Amino acid sequence: MSEVKLTQLSHGGGCGCKIAPALLQQILGEAKERLPFANLLVGTETSDDAAVYRLNDQQAIIATTDFFMPIVDDPFDFGRIAATNALSDVYAMGGTPIMALAIVGMPINKLPVEAIRAILQGGEAVCEAADIPLAGGHSIDSTEPIYGLVAIGIVHPDRLKKNSDAQAGDKLILGKGLGVGVLAQALKKGALSAEGYAQLIANTTQLNAVGSALSGLDAVHALTDVTGFGLLGHLLEMCRGAGLAADLQFEQVPVLSEALPLAQQGYGPGAIDRNLASYGHEIDFAAYLESWQRRLLADAQTSGGLLVSVAAEAADEVLAIFHRGGFEQAAVIGTMKSGAPRVSVV
């Protein structure tokens, strides 16, 4: 297994594999009328993190799927990252995971059985940490390695947190530092230090379980997680859903310490350019911001942090929940405001 280079078997990695936002919109077409299912609380209307279906007055089911190609070479770490990323969508709805199914596509003529088994064991380890069963799944023989989960969760209908309910005056809080895509590209190019790799793994395998706690706060108006479209892309989805604008303060945005010098040197996945080409016209950058700063805000995050829109008076309480949960870099990064859906970065 030590000779296996998973990242050399795929053309992309992690959430950087996502189809670019603009192309995805072309594929999906204009938003369709909502189908007449009264108990479908969340569908495709606002590009939210998961679908949610109300079972009764006390329970709603959260259903999501997420899978991608390797972002690292180590099979066990790849499995852990993919599983953590998939479960994040349940937490981003304010829910609690209850079960998962595995999605497995492997080039069986290129990967030894031991490597494939290690990928699956990585996913199992994360499900065990989340205290849920990995109860089955589906596998195919594919040309590139693919792994992920179908994640099922539960939430009280009144505690559901969507990405579209932000209010003007809310503070924006980001739970994890940016730079995962930068670190991953440096790894693929052989330029990542041992410290950088350790930081990459620690960040991408940290479960966003604080989302379950945030669901109990009425002051938390909107919640999502930051993944392949970058911080700017997912913040724009929040703006569009609420019909609001946002101010973002770059100096307040947490950045992974090992990623910062690499970003300044120009490292970053191709997804950055695809992201900026898709939504750059909706971003107002301050003239003094350098290219690397703009690019970092569009860096494709894999298993990134939660993005919270919370009433200003409750921002400290939300930060305390993050910090108690081990998210040391969580910080207030901006504000929601009245105006057409755009993001201003200063």
Side-chain angles (χ1 to χ4, degrees), residues 251-267:
E251 293 301 327
Q252 301 302 315
V253 175
V255 179
L256 297 172
S257 59
E258 295 293 327
L260 183 58
L262 293 167
Q264 292 169 334
Q265 295 169 42
Y267 283 94

Side-chain angles (χ1 to χ4, degrees), residues 39 41 53-60 155-159:
N39 288 319
L41 303 182
Y53 191 91
R54 178 173 49 209
L55 297 177
N56 51 54
D57 291 342
Q58 304 295 317
Q59 296 172 311
V155 68
H156 191 292
D158 295 339
R159 296 177 63 174

Side-chain angles (χ1 to χ4, degrees), residues 130-215:
D131 196 26
I132 63 170
L134 184 51
H138 185 66
S139 61
I140 63 169
D141 182 5
S142 64
T143 58
E144 296 179 298
I146 297 168
Y147 182 70
L149 299 179
V150 174
I152 306 297
I154 196 164
V155 68
H156 191 292
D158 295 339
R159 296 177 63 174
L160 171 65
K161 300 299 180 182
K162 299 187 286 187
N163 69 351
S164 56
D165 292 335
Q167 298 181 16
D170 280 359
K171 294 297 182 182
L172 293 167
I173 294 175
L174 180 62
K176 293 183 182 181
L178 300 183
V180 169
V182 171
L183 293 175
Q185 198 212 29
L187 173 66
K188 200 163 186 176
K189 290 183 174 292
L192 188 64
S193 67
E195 293 79 9
Y197 185 79
Q199 191 171 67
L200 171 64
I201 299 304
N203 192 78
T204 54
T205 59
Q206 185 177 20
L207 285 164
N208 281 323
V210 292
S212 301
L214 295 176
S215 72

Side-chain angles (χ1 to χ4, degrees), residues 232 276 280 283-287 289 293-295 297 343-345:
L232 291 176
L276 288 174
I283 311 296
D284 298 316
F285 290 107
L289 289 173
Q293 294 173 305
R294 303 179 188 208
R295 289 172 54 80
L297 296 176
V343 176
S344 298
V345 187

Side-chain angles (χ1 to χ4, degrees), residues 42-97:
V42 180
T44 61
E45 300 83 12
T46 61
S47 302
D48 219 323
D49 297 290
V52 183
Y53 191 91
R54 178 173 49 209
L55 297 177
N56 51 54
D57 291 342
Q58 304 295 317
Q59 296 172 311
I61 286 288
I62 301 170
T64 183
T65 180
D66 215 314
F67 54 90
F68 47 61
M69 291 167 281
I71 189 175
V72 295
D73 290 320
D74 182 270
F76 185 75
D77 285 343
F78 170 41
R80 293 169 65 206
I81 293 167
T84 304
N85 179 75
L87 294 180
S88 181
D89 285 340
V90 173
Y91 295 126
M93 305 303 299
T96 300

